[in-house]
Amino acid sequence: MKTALLPEHLSYLQLPFMNEYYAATAQEAGEQQWSHVQYLERLVEGEVNQRRQRTIRRRLKEARFPVLKTLEQFRWDWPKKVNRPQVQNLFRLSFLKERGNVVFMGGVGLGKTHLATALAYEGCLAGHTTLFTTAIDIVNNLAAAQSANRLKSELKKYLSPAILLVDELGYLPIDKTGADLLFQVFSQRYESGSTIVTTNQAYKNWARIFNNDATLTSAVLDRLLHHAETITLEGKSYRMKDQIEEP
């Protein structure tokens, strides 16, 4: 093969890293006296790493995180109560293999969304498809889809990701139609994907979330909590700390 054709062939094979760096890597290989296999290994390694980075960027865009958060950024000194070892263990991501769920429960301003986002972000970096949404957005989007006779296709958006993060469950009232639609999401994700939920309501109050339908609430809890860990955060709102600290 003529060297002049190499860029064309690499482009045809969609190997952009090799196409850009084969010459520079060949020069380094000569200087370092690499074998042909070592030279090839370096090019393949670069190509794989570049593809992984592109995949991660695409998954992060599809996840629709409003803000990226990490566990390292979390203020452990603010919540009055949080089980730190339990939270840190979740970041091993073993619950994803079991298609388990995680519920972050507590008042406003304690870091529920931060921890949930950081956990979903970690899963996304590990190669799992992810979607961030709010409970009320699910209800509104599915209600509109139902009215337009495209509910089945819209549901797929919430059923297909390996990780679905449902933020702010219980913050706004949901009517019977919304409760039924939200139930469909939780029910159909059961043992097929992991769901991460943040809520300001204790489980005993979840009937309020689902239009005071005790039967529906029981069915939701049965599916959501069968393979789930609950992280409870207690304390005062971090966002109100300046006002709280004033005399």
Side-chain angles (χ1 to χ4, degrees):
M1 182 178 68
K2 296 181 180 179
T3 305
L5 294 176
L6 185 55
E8 180 182 342
H9 291 168
L10 291 173
S11 179
Y12 177 79
L13 292 171
Q14 297 184 358
L15 299 171
F17 179 88
M18 289 188 180
N19 200 0
E20 184 175 355
Y21 293 104
Y22 77 89
T25 306
Q27 183 176 350
E28 184 180 1
E31 294 171 353
Q32 301 295 327
Q33 297 185 334
W34 294 346
S35 67
H36 293 104
V37 172
Q38 288 175 312
Y39 170 62
L40 180 60
E41 283 180 342
R42 179 62 65 89
L43 286 176
V44 171
E45 180 182 18
E47 191 68 48
V48 168
N49 288 337
Q50 190 177 84
R51 289 193 181 193
R52 282 175 177 164
Q53 290 303 314
R54 286 202 305 270
T55 300
I56 289 172
R57 287 195 295 270
R58 186 184 73 249
R59 286 191 176 129
L60 287 174
K61 183 178 180 180
E62 293 171 349
R64 300 180 183 176
F65 292 114
V67 180
L68 291 181
K69 298 288 186 179
T70 67
L71 185 62
E72 291 73 23
Q73 295 169 333
F74 187 70
R75 286 285 304 270
W76 294 103
D77 60 330
W78 185 256
K80 183 178 179 182
K81 176 183 176 183
V82 60
N83 190 329
R84 184 170 181 171
Q86 183 186 16
V87 172
Q88 291 173 325
N89 186 60
L90 285 173
F91 281 74
R92 297 171 58 190
L93 304 179
S94 58
F95 73 97
L96 294 177
K97 300 175 185 177
E98 303 164 0
R99 295 180 175 84
N101 307 313
V102 181
V103 178
F104 291 94
M105 181 182 296
V108 298
L110 296 177
K112 301 184 301 299
T113 300
H114 183 134
L115 289 175
T117 301
L119 184 58
Y121 175 55
E122 191 74 14
C124 193
L125 292 180
H128 300 277
T129 54
T130 305
L131 177 63
F132 179 105
T133 186
T134 64
I136 201 66
D137 278 346
I138 292 176
V139 170
N140 290 339
N141 289 339
L142 291 183
Q146 189 174 48
S147 299
N149 295 316
R150 52 180 181 82
L151 178 59
K152 187 175 181 180
S153 62
E154 189 70 12
L155 264 173
K156 289 181 181 179
K157 182 170 71 175
Y158 302 109
L159 302 180
S160 58
I163 303 170
L164 177 67
L165 198 172
V166 182
D167 196 28
E168 298 182 343
L169 179 65
Y171 282 68
L172 294 173
I174 298 173
D175 61 14
K176 184 181 185 307
T177 298
D180 290 340
L181 292 170
L182 204 52
F183 168 73
Q184 289 191 53
V185 174
F186 287 129
S187 177
Q188 294 186 50
R189 285 189 61 82
Y190 175 62
E191 295 190 332
S192 68
S194 292
T195 305
I196 301 173
V197 176
T198 72
T199 181
N200 62 341
Q201 299 290 333
Y203 293 128
K204 65 181 181 180
N205 298 326
W206 274 33
R208 301 174 187 171
I209 300 174
F210 293 94
N211 199 44
N212 293 310
D213 188 328
T215 302
L216 183 66
T217 303
S218 179
V220 169
L221 289 172
D222 179 67
R223 288 160 176 77
L224 188 64
L225 300 184
H226 184 208
H227 306 290
E229 285 199 52
T230 302
I231 307 296
T232 303
L233 294 90
E234 296 179 4
K236 297 179 180 179
S237 171
Y238 181 78
R239 291 185 287 271
M240 294 291 291
K241 68 182 181 69
D242 293 336
Q243 289 87 338
I244 293 170
E245 291 171 355
E246 289 179 359

